[in-house]
Amino acid sequence: MFDERSPIYLQIADQIKNDIVSGALAEDEQVMSTNQYAAFYRINPATAAKGFAQLVDEGVLYKKRGIGMFVSPNARDLLRTGRREGFFADVVDPMIREAKALGVPLRDVVQHIREYGDA
């Protein structure tokens, strides 16, 4: 489940974010408690709590005192907006720079994307 590329608490946060973006976790849906999460994945509860705390700080989860953690009402939109910005910065912009460096007209890049989308 977890790999060595990044801290486990970040991987926990990313997994929950992915579940929200994909729709596996809905807005206002309760998520596993940190103790349940830690037991299920056999990790330290403090590590799980750190991942959950990050999500609370980011506005992705919120706490209901005495009940548990829930997906924030705007979490999916918030995450999708951030990922769109990252997609353009990390994928599209470098692709455009590379196309220009290679002398590939942007209209050819756009055409290729359209053909790929139709396949």
Side-chain angles (χ1 to χ4, degrees), residues 55-70:
L55 294 172
V56 169
D57 290 345
E58 292 176 9
V60 174
L61 297 180
Y62 68 94
K63 295 179 188 180
K64 284 187 180 179
R65 189 176 180 142
I67 299 174
M69 297 278 208
F70 294 79

Side-chain angles (χ1 to χ4, degrees), residues 1 39-40 50 52-53 64 71 78 92:
M1 163 80 213
F40 186 81
K50 190 172 180 179
F52 279 60
K64 284 187 180 179
V71 177
L78 176 74
V92 176

Side-chain angles (χ1 to χ4, degrees), residues 1-12 14 18:
M1 163 80 213
F2 301 111
D3 59 44
E4 300 295 322
R5 290 180 270 167
S6 65
I8 292 173
Y9 79 94
L10 290 177
Q11 294 178 60
I12 291 167
D14 286 344
N18 289 337

Side-chain angles (χ1 to χ4, degrees), residues 1-2 7-19 25 30-53 55 61 69:
M1 163 80 213
F2 301 111
I8 292 173
Y9 79 94
L10 290 177
Q11 294 178 60
I12 291 167
D14 286 344
Q15 179 185 13
I16 292 170
K17 288 176 184 179
N18 289 337
D19 287 345
L25 283 173
Q30 187 170 11
V31 298
M32 279 193 277
S33 72
T34 55
N35 287 333
Q36 289 171 322
Y37 202 92
F40 186 81
Y41 289 106
R42 298 176 188 223
I43 60 171
N44 187 313
T47 301
K50 190 172 180 179
F52 279 60
L55 294 172
L61 297 180
M69 297 278 208

Side-chain angles (χ1 to χ4, degrees), residues 86-105:
F87 172 74
F88 282 101
D90 298 340
V91 177
V92 176
D93 295 346
M95 178 187 64
I96 292 169
R97 285 192 297 275
E98 182 70 9
K100 286 182 177 181
L102 296 173
V104 176

